[in-house]
Amino acid sequence: MPTLRDVAVLAGVSTATVSHVINQTRRTTRETRERVELAIRQLDFVPNAAGRALAMRRNGVAHVAQFRAVGGVAAVAELEEPAAFSQPSQATAATASVGASRMILRLVRAAQPIPRVEIARRLGLNRSTVTEVVKPLLVEGILREGQETLPAGVARTSGRPPVALSFGDLNEFFVGVSVGVRHTTVGIATLAGERFGEEEFETPAEHEEALALMRASVKRLCAKVPGRRLKVIGVSVPGPTDAARGRMLYAPHLGWRGVDVAQALSVKPCGGEGELVPVVVENDATAAAMYEARLRLRDASEAPPSNFALVRSGTGIGVGLVLGGEVYRGTGGGEGLAGEFGHMTIVAGGKQCRCGNRGCWEMYASASAASSLYAGDRVQLGGQKPPRFVEIVARAEGGELRAQRTLERLGEYLGIGIANVITGLGVSRVIVSGRLVYGWRFIEAPLREAVGQSMAGRISGWSVEPGEPTGAGLGGAVEVAADEFLARVVGR
């Protein structure tokens, strides 16, 4: 189980401060309290009830409260005094280890092979916590240990090579389906990130035809890897999904509404026997945020940022939210709707959007909006079609002033929206992903100026950085599938 020290290390405070926050025995700053509560949620830490009771008695508090995690949100519930002295149940202890297990498995997947000591260092956990989580996974064959191998040409300086962790059964694989407005890509990959094949086709106008093509593609790709077991299918879609992550609610650019993607793509494992393979449907910006989070987990020398917003710009704009190291999708009836910032109004009475609104952010700051910005409202192009985004970038790099001004205007609009995201969510780190990154050289300065002029610009520590221009489509879909598998391994 995670310890008080684990929480302290992850939050960057002393164990005494963690104790004060939990027991409310001393006033702490709001920022410190939020960091500690975030670390508690990440680790699913459950404080010792008897210790809490003793602390409350020392401070003359009549009732004893037991700190627990409810649905990922820290909560305090008042209990009768005798009950507070009982130890946490075995079920509670098991629940407490789920968060640490999930973090460790994600890191192993992102950076395998990786030694236990490195896992403990990067995640700020005790080695004993890592060992406690890893042992049963080794016994079950989910993980395996072996001598760490160095890249070719790199010599070991001294000592024996450390024992490193990686996933044990690489016969399991996943299917990712990235549904785009113009193209759909289907691919297969393993937990180690190996890709064994992919197919691409133009996305049909009718969803029935598109789903039939996806299903056929999944079956063809599965046939290419006999002897391997399909575990989960992940689908990224250009629109919000329902709370169960099975239906796409609405895709404005495709005109699709209420499409039951999971049911349409349900297949039996390769070979045709057993239960239907789980299908998880995720908004493409959220899937891209999961993909970027894994890349940063792989490349980070320290613990990666646990809170960020990903702005994905292509045909439209979507925002994926990562809070406390977990993707945030909304709550209650709004679950699955979080991040639809592309359709917030930034120009009153502005351009007509496909969603039915006017002046939506994506009409001014998406990659596809660059063409209309380039053409302008009154400028004629001699009957020619306005250039697409990649061509505008090429012209800007070639010195064309009109193309450069177009990207600068786009950057300004992008910055206005990002400032709203930072201010509205209180998340100060933003990653920009998608085709827009190709024009970052011209977009960055006006973007930062726009953010700097806003209320968000007065917040110390805000940052905007470029992510991956490509790869997050199919990569995000595969990530959705792999993360669902890991969640099932640790029992969520």
Side-chain angles (χ1 to χ4, degrees), residues 238-416:
T241 65
D242 66 348
R245 294 194 293 162
R247 295 172 61 86
M248 181 175 63
L249 300 179
Y250 181 40
H253 292 278
L254 291 172
W256 298 355
R257 290 180 181 270
V259 180
D260 196 336
V261 178
Q263 183 178 37
L265 296 185
S266 294
V267 298
K268 289 192 174 183
C270 302
E273 298 180 357
E275 298 181 356
L276 292 175
V277 175
V279 180
V280 182
V281 185
E282 190 65 87
N283 172 266
D284 57 2
T286 301
M290 297 170 70
Y291 177 75
E292 290 283 351
R294 186 174 78 87
L295 293 183
R296 280 156 175 72
L297 190 61
R298 179 195 66 191
D299 300 334
S301 58
E302 304 292 339
S306 57
N307 298 323
F308 68 86
L310 179 129
V311 176
R312 179 168 170 78
S313 178
T315 304
I317 290 181
V319 177
L321 306 177
V322 175
L323 303 177
E326 299 291 335
V327 167
Y328 181 76
R329 300 181 176 88
T331 59
E335 187 169 353
L337 298 177
E340 286 300 316
F341 285 93
H343 297 286
M344 67 177 170
T345 303
I346 65 167
V347 178
K351 298 176 183 179
Q352 180 73 49
C353 180
R354 288 177 178 267
C355 74
N357 187 27
R358 282 187 174 276
C360 289
W361 187 23
E362 69 175 37
M363 296 303 297
Y364 298 86
S366 64
S368 60
S371 295
S372 61
L373 290 174
Y374 183 90
D377 296 329
R378 298 181 179 85
V379 176
Q380 299 298 317
L381 296 174
Q384 299 179 357
K385 287 185 178 181
R388 298 180 67 173
F389 181 75
V390 289
E391 186 179 348
I392 293 173
V393 172
R395 293 184 182 188
E397 290 177 341
E400 185 186 296
L401 290 178
R402 185 171 174 179
Q404 292 175 0
R405 297 295 176 266
T406 296
L407 295 178
E408 289 167 359
R409 286 184 63 199
L410 190 147
E412 182 181 2
Y413 284 124
L414 187 64
I416 292 170

Side-chain angles (χ1 to χ4, degrees), residues 14-30 32-33 55-56 59 61:
S14 67
T15 53
T17 299
V18 175
S19 179
H20 289 313
V21 170
I22 293 173
N23 298 313
Q24 301 175 15
T25 50
R26 182 181 296 175
R27 216 172 255 200
T28 55
T29 65
R30 179 180 177 183
T32 298
R33 186 173 66 254
M56 301 295 262
N59 287 276
V61 179

Side-chain angles (χ1 to χ4, degrees), residues 471-489:
L474 182 57
V478 170
E479 199 62 33
V480 168
D483 205 66
E484 175 67 15
F485 172 73
L486 297 183
R488 290 169 181 261
V489 166

